[in-house]
mmCIF file of all heavy atoms in Angstrom:
data_model
loop_
_atom_site.group_PDB
_atom_site.id
_atom_site.type_symbol
_atom_site.label_atom_id
_atom_site.label_comp_id
_atom_site.label_asym_id
_atom_site.label_seq_id
_atom_site.Cartn_x
_atom_site.Cartn_y
_atom_site.Cartn_z
ATOM 1 N N ASN A 18 -52.755 11.627 -301.483
ATOM 2 C CA ASN A 18 -51.706 11.658 -300.470
ATOM 3 C C ASN A 18 -50.336 11.456 -301.141
ATOM 4 O O ASN A 18 -49.623 10.496 -300.889
ATOM 5 C CB ASN A 18 -51.962 10.558 -299.431
ATOM 6 C CG ASN A 18 -50.945 10.587 -298.320
ATOM 7 O OD1 ASN A 18 -50.449 11.647 -297.949
ATOM 8 N ND2 ASN A 18 -50.619 9.419 -297.786
ATOM 9 N N TRP A 19 -49.962 12.384 -301.992
ATOM 10 C CA TRP A 19 -48.772 12.211 -302.817
ATOM 11 C C TRP A 19 -47.615 13.138 -302.451
ATOM 12 O O TRP A 19 -46.465 12.861 -302.786
ATOM 13 C CB TRP A 19 -49.133 12.438 -304.290
ATOM 14 C CG TRP A 19 -49.566 13.851 -304.590
ATOM 15 C CD1 TRP A 19 -50.804 14.377 -304.409
ATOM 16 C CD2 TRP A 19 -48.749 14.892 -305.125
ATOM 17 N NE1 TRP A 19 -50.827 15.690 -304.793
ATOM 18 C CE2 TRP A 19 -49.570 16.036 -305.247
ATOM 19 C CE3 TRP A 19 -47.422 14.987 -305.508
ATOM 20 C CZ2 TRP A 19 -49.095 17.249 -305.736
ATOM 21 C CZ3 TRP A 19 -46.942 16.187 -306.006
ATOM 22 C CH2 TRP A 19 -47.773 17.300 -306.115
ATOM 23 N N ARG A 20 -47.901 14.213 -301.713
ATOM 24 C CA ARG A 20 -46.823 15.178 -301.389
ATOM 25 C C ARG A 20 -45.917 14.629 -300.291
ATOM 26 O O ARG A 20 -45.831 14.354 -299.819
ATOM 27 C CB ARG A 20 -47.423 16.501 -300.929
ATOM 28 C CG ARG A 20 -48.264 17.164 -301.991
ATOM 29 C CD ARG A 20 -48.947 18.399 -301.430
ATOM 30 N NE ARG A 20 -49.699 19.148 -302.407
ATOM 31 C CZ ARG A 20 -50.942 18.883 -302.764
ATOM 32 N NH1 ARG A 20 -51.573 17.862 -302.168
ATOM 33 N NH2 ARG A 20 -51.552 19.597 -303.690
ATOM 34 N N ASN A 21 -44.872 14.643 -300.048
ATOM 35 C CA ASN A 21 -44.052 14.206 -298.903
ATOM 36 C C ASN A 21 -44.110 12.709 -298.628
ATOM 37 O O ASN A 21 -43.963 12.295 -297.474
ATOM 38 C CB ASN A 21 -44.457 14.966 -297.623
ATOM 39 C CG ASN A 21 -44.392 16.468 -297.790
ATOM 40 O OD1 ASN A 21 -43.458 16.984 -298.425
ATOM 41 N ND2 ASN A 21 -45.370 17.187 -297.241
ATOM 42 N N LEU A 22 -44.353 11.907 -299.636
ATOM 43 C CA LEU A 22 -44.274 10.464 -299.435
ATOM 44 C C LEU A 22 -42.819 10.051 -299.214
ATOM 45 O O LEU A 22 -41.910 10.523 -299.899
ATOM 46 C CB LEU A 22 -44.824 9.719 -300.652
ATOM 47 C CG LEU A 22 -46.339 9.493 -300.741
ATOM 48 C CD1 LEU A 22 -46.649 8.692 -301.999
ATOM 49 C CD2 LEU A 22 -46.847 8.775 -299.512
ATOM 50 N N GLY A 23 -42.597 9.179 -298.236
ATOM 51 C CA GLY A 23 -41.242 8.700 -297.984
ATOM 52 C C GLY A 23 -40.785 7.724 -299.056
ATOM 53 O O GLY A 23 -41.563 7.282 -299.895
ATOM 54 N N TYR A 24 -39.516 7.402 -299.039
ATOM 55 C CA TYR A 24 -38.970 6.451 -300.010
ATOM 56 C C TYR A 24 -37.841 5.653 -299.363
ATOM 57 O O TYR A 24 -37.264 6.043 -298.339
ATOM 58 C CB TYR A 24 -38.457 7.174 -301.270
ATOM 59 C CG TYR A 24 -37.307 8.137 -301.016
ATOM 60 C CD1 TYR A 24 -35.980 7.687 -301.033
ATOM 61 C CD2 TYR A 24 -37.544 9.486 -300.764
ATOM 62 C CE1 TYR A 24 -34.935 8.564 -300.804
ATOM 63 C CE2 TYR A 24 -36.502 10.367 -300.530
ATOM 64 C CZ TYR A 24 -35.195 9.907 -300.546
ATOM 65 O OH TYR A 24 -34.155 10.758 -300.309
ATOM 66 N N ASN A 25 -37.548 4.537 -299.963
ATOM 67 C CA ASN A 25 -36.422 3.709 -299.556
ATOM 68 C C ASN A 25 -35.182 4.177 -300.315
ATOM 69 O O ASN A 25 -35.218 4.315 -301.536
ATOM 70 C CB ASN A 25 -36.733 2.243 -299.884
ATOM 71 C CG ASN A 25 -35.502 1.370 -299.822
ATOM 72 O OD1 ASN A 25 -34.712 1.477 -298.899
ATOM 73 N ND2 ASN A 25 -35.342 0.501 -300.817
ATOM 74 N N ASP A 26 -34.081 4.411 -299.622
ATOM 75 C CA ASP A 26 -32.876 4.895 -300.298
ATOM 76 C C ASP A 26 -31.834 3.798 -300.515
ATOM 77 O O ASP A 26 -30.756 4.046 -301.049
ATOM 78 C CB ASP A 26 -32.243 6.051 -299.514
ATOM 79 C CG ASP A 26 -31.631 5.612 -298.188
ATOM 80 O OD1 ASP A 26 -31.998 4.526 -297.691
ATOM 81 O OD2 ASP A 26 -30.798 6.360 -297.640
ATOM 82 N N LYS A 27 -32.159 2.562 -300.132
ATOM 83 C CA LYS A 27 -31.176 1.477 -300.172
ATOM 84 C C LYS A 27 -31.253 0.707 -301.490
ATOM 85 O O LYS A 27 -32.328 0.354 -301.965
ATOM 86 C CB LYS A 27 -31.374 0.530 -298.993
ATOM 87 C CG LYS A 27 -31.150 1.194 -297.641
ATOM 88 C CD LYS A 27 -31.435 0.235 -296.504
ATOM 89 C CE LYS A 27 -31.121 0.877 -295.160
ATOM 90 N NZ LYS A 27 -31.926 2.082 -294.924
ATOM 91 N N VAL A 28 -30.102 0.425 -302.046
ATOM 92 C CA VAL A 28 -29.964 -0.407 -303.239
ATOM 93 C C VAL A 28 -29.505 -1.789 -302.790
ATOM 94 O O VAL A 28 -28.519 -1.920 -302.064
ATOM 95 C CB VAL A 28 -28.958 0.205 -304.233
ATOM 96 C CG1 VAL A 28 -28.728 -0.727 -305.412
ATOM 97 C CG2 VAL A 28 -29.459 1.569 -304.715
ATOM 98 N N GLU A 29 -30.225 -2.835 -303.208
ATOM 99 C CA GLU A 29 -29.895 -4.206 -302.799
ATOM 100 C C GLU A 29 -28.930 -4.853 -303.780
ATOM 101 O O GLU A 29 -28.941 -4.561 -304.975
ATOM 102 C CB GLU A 29 -31.160 -5.061 -302.714
ATOM 103 C CG GLU A 29 -32.071 -4.728 -301.551
ATOM 104 C CD GLU A 29 -33.236 -5.699 -301.464
ATOM 105 O OE1 GLU A 29 -34.248 -5.449 -302.130
ATOM 106 O OE2 GLU A 29 -33.116 -6.705 -300.738
ATOM 107 N N ILE A 30 -28.101 -5.757 -303.239
ATOM 108 C CA ILE A 30 -27.205 -6.542 -304.067
ATOM 109 C C ILE A 30 -27.767 -7.962 -304.157
ATOM 110 O O ILE A 30 -28.095 -8.577 -303.141
ATOM 111 C CB ILE A 30 -25.770 -6.537 -303.507
ATOM 112 C CG1 ILE A 30 -24.863 -7.481 -304.304
ATOM 113 C CG2 ILE A 30 -25.741 -6.929 -302.034
ATOM 114 C CD1 ILE A 30 -24.589 -7.018 -305.693
ATOM 115 N N TYR A 31 -27.902 -8.477 -305.372
ATOM 116 C CA TYR A 31 -28.397 -9.825 -305.627
ATOM 117 C C TYR A 31 -27.324 -10.629 -306.352
ATOM 118 O O TYR A 31 -26.532 -10.072 -307.127
ATOM 119 C CB TYR A 31 -29.643 -9.803 -306.511
ATOM 120 C CG TYR A 31 -30.915 -9.405 -305.830
ATOM 121 C CD1 TYR A 31 -31.221 -8.069 -305.617
ATOM 122 C CD2 TYR A 31 -31.840 -10.365 -305.417
ATOM 123 C CE1 TYR A 31 -32.410 -7.692 -305.000
ATOM 124 C CE2 TYR A 31 -33.030 -10.000 -304.799
ATOM 125 C CZ TYR A 31 -33.307 -8.664 -304.593
ATOM 126 O OH TYR A 31 -34.487 -8.304 -303.991
ATOM 127 N N ILE A 32 -27.316 -11.936 -306.104
ATOM 128 C CA ILE A 32 -26.607 -12.838 -306.996
ATOM 129 C C ILE A 32 -27.642 -13.816 -307.551
ATOM 130 O O ILE A 32 -28.596 -14.193 -306.860
ATOM 131 C CB ILE A 32 -25.439 -13.581 -306.314
ATOM 132 C CG1 ILE A 32 -25.923 -14.460 -305.162
ATOM 133 C CG2 ILE A 32 -24.368 -12.606 -305.862
ATOM 134 C CD1 ILE A 32 -24.833 -15.370 -304.613
ATOM 135 N N GLU A 33 -27.439 -14.217 -308.784
ATOM 136 C CA GLU A 33 -28.423 -15.068 -309.474
ATOM 137 C C GLU A 33 -27.692 -16.156 -310.242
ATOM 138 O O GLU A 33 -26.697 -15.890 -310.921
ATOM 139 C CB GLU A 33 -29.263 -14.206 -310.418
ATOM 140 C CG GLU A 33 -30.380 -14.943 -311.129
ATOM 141 C CD GLU A 33 -31.236 -13.979 -311.949
ATOM 142 O OE1 GLU A 33 -31.910 -13.141 -311.349
ATOM 143 O OE2 GLU A 33 -31.199 -14.080 -313.196
ATOM 144 N N PHE A 34 -28.161 -17.399 -310.100
ATOM 145 C CA PHE A 34 -27.575 -18.499 -310.849
ATOM 146 C C PHE A 34 -28.659 -19.502 -311.212
ATOM 147 O O PHE A 34 -29.715 -19.568 -310.580
ATOM 148 C CB PHE A 34 -26.450 -19.182 -310.067
ATOM 149 C CG PHE A 34 -26.878 -19.836 -308.776
ATOM 150 C CD1 PHE A 34 -27.273 -21.160 -308.731
ATOM 151 C CD2 PHE A 34 -26.861 -19.116 -307.586
ATOM 152 C CE1 PHE A 34 -27.663 -21.754 -307.550
ATOM 153 C CE2 PHE A 34 -27.241 -19.708 -306.386
ATOM 154 C CZ PHE A 34 -27.640 -21.034 -306.369
ATOM 155 N N LYS A 35 -28.390 -20.307 -312.238
ATOM 156 C CA LYS A 35 -29.345 -21.303 -312.706
ATOM 157 C C LYS A 35 -29.030 -22.657 -312.077
ATOM 158 O O LYS A 35 -27.871 -23.080 -312.047
ATOM 159 C CB LYS A 35 -29.295 -21.404 -314.232
ATOM 160 C CG LYS A 35 -30.377 -22.290 -314.825
ATOM 161 C CD LYS A 35 -30.310 -22.290 -316.346
ATOM 162 C CE LYS A 35 -31.400 -23.164 -316.949
ATOM 163 N NZ LYS A 35 -31.336 -23.176 -318.428
ATOM 164 N N ASN A 36 -30.066 -23.310 -311.573
ATOM 165 C CA ASN A 36 -29.915 -24.638 -310.989
ATOM 166 C C ASN A 36 -29.996 -25.676 -312.109
ATOM 167 O O ASN A 36 -31.076 -25.993 -312.601
ATOM 168 C CB ASN A 36 -31.004 -24.886 -309.941
ATOM 169 C CG ASN A 36 -30.925 -26.265 -309.347
ATOM 170 O OD1 ASN A 36 -29.842 -26.818 -309.171
ATOM 171 N ND2 ASN A 36 -32.073 -26.838 -309.043
ATOM 172 N N ASP A 37 -28.849 -26.220 -312.507
ATOM 173 C CA ASP A 37 -28.790 -27.065 -313.695
ATOM 174 C C ASP A 37 -28.891 -28.559 -313.427
ATOM 175 O O ASP A 37 -29.314 -29.305 -314.310
ATOM 176 C CB ASP A 37 -27.476 -26.806 -314.454
ATOM 177 C CG ASP A 37 -27.499 -25.491 -315.207
ATOM 178 O OD1 ASP A 37 -28.579 -25.110 -315.677
ATOM 179 O OD2 ASP A 37 -26.441 -24.853 -315.312
ATOM 180 N N GLU A 38 -28.489 -29.037 -312.232
ATOM 181 C CA GLU A 38 -28.248 -30.465 -312.083
ATOM 182 C C GLU A 38 -29.207 -31.202 -311.152
ATOM 183 O O GLU A 38 -29.660 -32.295 -311.461
ATOM 184 C CB GLU A 38 -26.818 -30.703 -311.611
ATOM 185 C CG GLU A 38 -25.778 -30.296 -312.650
ATOM 186 C CD GLU A 38 -24.388 -30.729 -312.254
ATOM 187 O OE1 GLU A 38 -24.228 -31.285 -311.148
ATOM 188 O OE2 GLU A 38 -23.463 -30.505 -313.047
ATOM 189 N N GLU A 39 -29.508 -30.653 -309.977
ATOM 190 C CA GLU A 39 -30.293 -31.384 -308.993
ATOM 191 C C GLU A 39 -31.380 -30.487 -308.411
ATOM 192 O O GLU A 39 -31.209 -29.276 -308.329
ATOM 193 C CB GLU A 39 -29.413 -31.887 -307.837
ATOM 194 C CG GLU A 39 -28.360 -32.897 -308.239
ATOM 195 C CD GLU A 39 -27.585 -33.395 -307.031
ATOM 196 O OE1 GLU A 39 -28.154 -33.413 -305.923
ATOM 197 O OE2 GLU A 39 -26.412 -33.755 -307.193
ATOM 198 N N VAL A 40 -32.483 -31.112 -308.006
ATOM 199 C CA VAL A 40 -33.510 -30.369 -307.280
ATOM 200 C C VAL A 40 -32.931 -29.925 -305.938
ATOM 201 O O VAL A 40 -32.311 -30.723 -305.229
ATOM 202 C CB VAL A 40 -34.751 -31.246 -307.050
ATOM 203 C CG1 VAL A 40 -35.742 -30.542 -306.140
ATOM 204 C CG2 VAL A 40 -35.409 -31.581 -308.377
ATOM 205 N N LEU A 41 -33.129 -28.663 -305.596
ATOM 206 C CA LEU A 41 -32.628 -28.127 -304.331
ATOM 207 C C LEU A 41 -33.786 -27.951 -303.364
ATOM 208 O O LEU A 41 -34.697 -27.164 -303.621
ATOM 209 C CB LEU A 41 -31.929 -26.783 -304.553
ATOM 210 C CG LEU A 41 -30.737 -26.785 -305.504
ATOM 211 C CD1 LEU A 41 -30.178 -25.373 -305.644
ATOM 212 C CD2 LEU A 41 -29.646 -27.735 -305.023
ATOM 213 N N PRO A 42 -33.787 -28.674 -302.236
ATOM 214 C CA PRO A 42 -34.835 -28.441 -301.234
ATOM 215 C C PRO A 42 -34.668 -27.071 -300.594
ATOM 216 O O PRO A 42 -33.565 -26.520 -300.544
ATOM 217 C CB PRO A 42 -34.613 -29.570 -300.213
ATOM 218 C CG PRO A 42 -33.195 -29.989 -300.404
ATOM 219 C CD PRO A 42 -32.855 -29.748 -301.836
ATOM 220 N N ALA A 43 -35.765 -26.510 -300.107
ATOM 221 C CA ALA A 43 -35.730 -25.179 -299.493
ATOM 222 C C ALA A 43 -34.818 -25.189 -298.278
ATOM 223 O O ALA A 43 -34.744 -26.172 -297.537
ATOM 224 C CB ALA A 43 -37.139 -24.754 -299.093
ATOM 225 N N GLY A 44 -34.130 -24.094 -298.059
ATOM 226 C CA GLY A 44 -33.241 -23.998 -296.900
ATOM 227 C C GLY A 44 -32.499 -22.691 -296.864
ATOM 228 O O GLY A 44 -32.592 -21.868 -297.778
ATOM 229 N N LYS A 45 -31.757 -22.503 -295.796
ATOM 230 C CA LYS A 45 -30.963 -21.287 -295.627
ATOM 231 C C LYS A 45 -29.631 -21.433 -296.349
ATOM 232 O O LYS A 45 -29.014 -22.489 -296.315
ATOM 233 C CB LYS A 45 -30.720 -21.008 -294.144
ATOM 234 C CG LYS A 45 -29.964 -19.703 -293.877
ATOM 235 C CD LYS A 45 -29.968 -19.350 -292.398
ATOM 236 C CE LYS A 45 -29.121 -20.295 -291.591
ATOM 237 N NZ LYS A 45 -29.020 -19.859 -290.171
ATOM 238 N N ILE A 46 -29.222 -20.351 -297.004
ATOM 239 C CA ILE A 46 -27.944 -20.359 -297.711
ATOM 240 C C ILE A 46 -27.100 -19.192 -297.210
ATOM 241 O O ILE A 46 -27.588 -18.066 -297.090
ATOM 242 C CB ILE A 46 -28.149 -20.286 -299.242
ATOM 243 C CG1 ILE A 46 -26.805 -20.304 -299.973
ATOM 244 C CG2 ILE A 46 -28.980 -19.092 -299.655
ATOM 245 C CD1 ILE A 46 -26.932 -20.493 -301.474
ATOM 246 N N ARG A 47 -25.866 -19.492 -296.873
ATOM 247 C CA ARG A 47 -24.912 -18.475 -296.411
ATOM 248 C C ARG A 47 -23.807 -18.347 -297.448
ATOM 249 O O ARG A 47 -23.271 -19.348 -297.922
ATOM 250 C CB ARG A 47 -24.326 -18.854 -295.045
ATOM 251 C CG ARG A 47 -25.373 -19.187 -294.002
ATOM 252 C CD ARG A 47 -24.732 -19.439 -292.642
ATOM 253 N NE ARG A 47 -24.372 -18.177 -292.012
ATOM 254 C CZ ARG A 47 -23.433 -18.063 -291.052
ATOM 255 N NH1 ARG A 47 -22.759 -19.121 -290.678
ATOM 256 N NH2 ARG A 47 -23.185 -16.895 -290.513
ATOM 257 N N ILE A 48 -23.479 -17.096 -297.800
ATOM 258 C CA ILE A 48 -22.495 -16.838 -298.849
ATOM 259 C C ILE A 48 -21.254 -16.178 -298.240
ATOM 260 O O ILE A 48 -21.354 -15.218 -297.473
ATOM 261 C CB ILE A 48 -23.081 -15.938 -299.950
ATOM 262 C CG1 ILE A 48 -24.359 -16.554 -300.527
ATOM 263 C CG2 ILE A 48 -22.050 -15.714 -301.055
ATOM 264 C CD1 ILE A 48 -24.155 -17.862 -301.231
ATOM 265 N N PHE A 49 -20.081 -16.719 -298.613
ATOM 266 C CA PHE A 49 -18.795 -16.176 -298.190
ATOM 267 C C PHE A 49 -17.998 -15.775 -299.435
ATOM 268 O O PHE A 49 -18.211 -16.310 -300.518
ATOM 269 C CB PHE A 49 -18.002 -17.210 -297.390
ATOM 270 C CG PHE A 49 -18.633 -17.580 -296.074
ATOM 271 C CD1 PHE A 49 -19.653 -18.521 -296.018
ATOM 272 C CD2 PHE A 49 -18.208 -16.994 -294.894
ATOM 273 C CE1 PHE A 49 -20.241 -18.859 -294.809
ATOM 274 C CE2 PHE A 49 -18.793 -17.326 -293.681
ATOM 275 C CZ PHE A 49 -19.809 -18.265 -293.638
ATOM 276 N N LYS A 50 -17.080 -14.844 -299.222
ATOM 277 C CA LYS A 50 -16.210 -14.399 -300.307
ATOM 278 C C LYS A 50 -14.765 -14.531 -299.849
ATOM 279 O O LYS A 50 -14.406 -14.059 -298.769
ATOM 280 C CB LYS A 50 -16.519 -12.943 -300.685
ATOM 281 C CG LYS A 50 -15.679 -12.391 -301.820
ATOM 282 C CD LYS A 50 -16.110 -10.975 -302.169
ATOM 283 C CE LYS A 50 -15.315 -10.410 -303.327
ATOM 284 N NZ LYS A 50 -13.894 -10.190 -302.986
ATOM 285 N N ASN A 51 -13.961 -15.216 -300.656
ATOM 286 C CA ASN A 51 -12.546 -15.380 -300.334
ATOM 287 C C ASN A 51 -11.774 -14.131 -300.727
ATOM 288 O O ASN A 51 -11.846 -13.682 -301.868
ATOM 289 C CB ASN A 51 -11.964 -16.597 -301.055
ATOM 290 C CG ASN A 51 -12.557 -17.894 -300.539
ATOM 291 O OD1 ASN A 51 -12.887 -18.012 -299.356
ATOM 292 N ND2 ASN A 51 -12.694 -18.873 -301.416
ATOM 293 N N GLU A 52 -11.063 -13.575 -299.763
ATOM 294 C CA GLU A 52 -10.307 -12.353 -300.030
ATOM 295 C C GLU A 52 -9.098 -12.283 -299.116
ATOM 296 O O GLU A 52 -9.224 -12.371 -297.883
ATOM 297 C CB GLU A 52 -11.202 -11.129 -299.814
ATOM 298 C CG GLU A 52 -10.566 -9.831 -300.280
ATOM 299 C CD GLU A 52 -11.566 -8.686 -300.327
ATOM 300 O OE1 GLU A 52 -12.741 -8.941 -300.672
ATOM 301 O OE2 GLU A 52 -11.163 -7.557 -300.029
#
């Protein structure tokens, strides 16, 4: 079943950082950009 297979056309944006100082409990994070 390989002919006409659909695909996702969206490219996702990620940000990645290292947690250096404290254990972070699980939770929701909201990101804002100053402009």
Side-chain angles (χ1 to χ4, degrees):
N18 183 32
W19 65 277
R20 298 174 176 85
N21 305 320
L22 276 182
Y24 63 87
N25 165 44
D26 69 341
K27 297 177 176 60
V28 175
E29 289 185 273
I30 174 69
Y31 283 81
I32 61 171
E33 184 175 293
F34 63 91
K35 187 177 181 180
N36 178 35
D37 285 327
E38 294 189 357
E39 296 183 29
V40 172
L41 301 179
K45 183 170 70 174
I46 180 169
R47 308 185 78 202
I48 304 296
F49 294 82
K50 181 177 182 293
N51 293 327
E52 189 168 324

